[in-house]
Amino acid sequence: MAPKPPTWNATWNPTRIPTYRHTRNPTHIPTWNPTWKPTWNATLRTTSKMATNAPRTPTPWRDTFIQHIYSMPQQSFTLSTVHRSPSGTITPRARTCIYRGLWGSVPENDRNPAPRNPHVYDSDLPVLTTDVRMEKAGELALAGPEGSGGGGPVEAVWWAEKLGTQWRVKGTAWVLGPDIDGDSEGAKAARDALRARMWACGEEKEEGWSWEREVTAQFGNLSPGMRGTFRNPPPGRPRALPVEGVGLGLGQEVWDLQDPVARRNFRVVVIVPDEVEQVDLSDMKAPKRWLYVYRGASYKSTQPGGEVVGEWEKVELWP
């Protein structure tokens, strides 16, 4: 086990996202149902190249979204998923999560001891973290609780109170586990889904960039106490039942970034937006609302009054 760094600030609030250094762009988010089968797109392929389809222009909503999120005292949001019971009943699920930056741009944090990827890629993909034993991991991953996978539908909502603006992101989510660099069907599908929305942002070579290192950097960005929650007893399990599993218990701190128990339960979740909606209520006499729809390489507008900006269509709506 790694020794405790003597300069760690024990009062650090793990829910607050550290700011970016100037070296980066400051404008840079319990029972497994075995009957739910993945439906991977067979046309997806893993190639030796990473992100090569950079948008012709920056994502039109990205900079404003980031500025609004960081205006919030705590970058929390509501994540909604679809729960399918073994009997086939479908019900909504919602919970509060913490925004952990955008995929490929782990927020700078001097307390993070994890090795970092070179800043090769940027994206418009919000990140959160979760415990694989929680229901939402199964609702998103599709491929089983042990590995990477995804494609589950999600909707995420932020309320930037100071700016009077609501952000609603609709799309799919992908769960990245310890096998993310491997050859499993779920890991390959997750990499393909994220790679399609990443773009090169600098001169550094992609050969020095690793999926697993990016996941570990997210784990390192949590405080030792927050990392310790991944050694908690199984979430949602009745307290009256005995705790099964070695090393599980409340109130632990994890300093070893490769702690086998915590890392077995830790997951990074990445949202791939299909639609983004911004509702500006800062002036109640003149509220505004915009819808951004991802169009990809088609670059075609389909909505009345729609404007194509890069790979997105922007439409102003009645609020």
Side-chain angles (χ1 to χ4, degrees), residues 188-206:
K188 289 179 179 178
R191 293 197 302 267
D192 284 330
L194 303 190
R195 184 183 294 118
R197 296 286 289 275
M198 298 160 58
W199 60 84
C201 62
E203 300 296 328
E204 300 203 48
K205 296 182 178 180
E206 63 187 33

Side-chain angles (χ1 to χ4, degrees), residues 16 22 25 37 43 103 124 168 170 185 192 265:
R16 295 297 301 274
H22 293 299
N25 183 351
K37 303 296 184 182
T43 63
W103 178 250
D124 51 15
R168 185 189 302 271
K170 302 177 184 179
E185 185 179 21
D192 284 330
N265 296 325

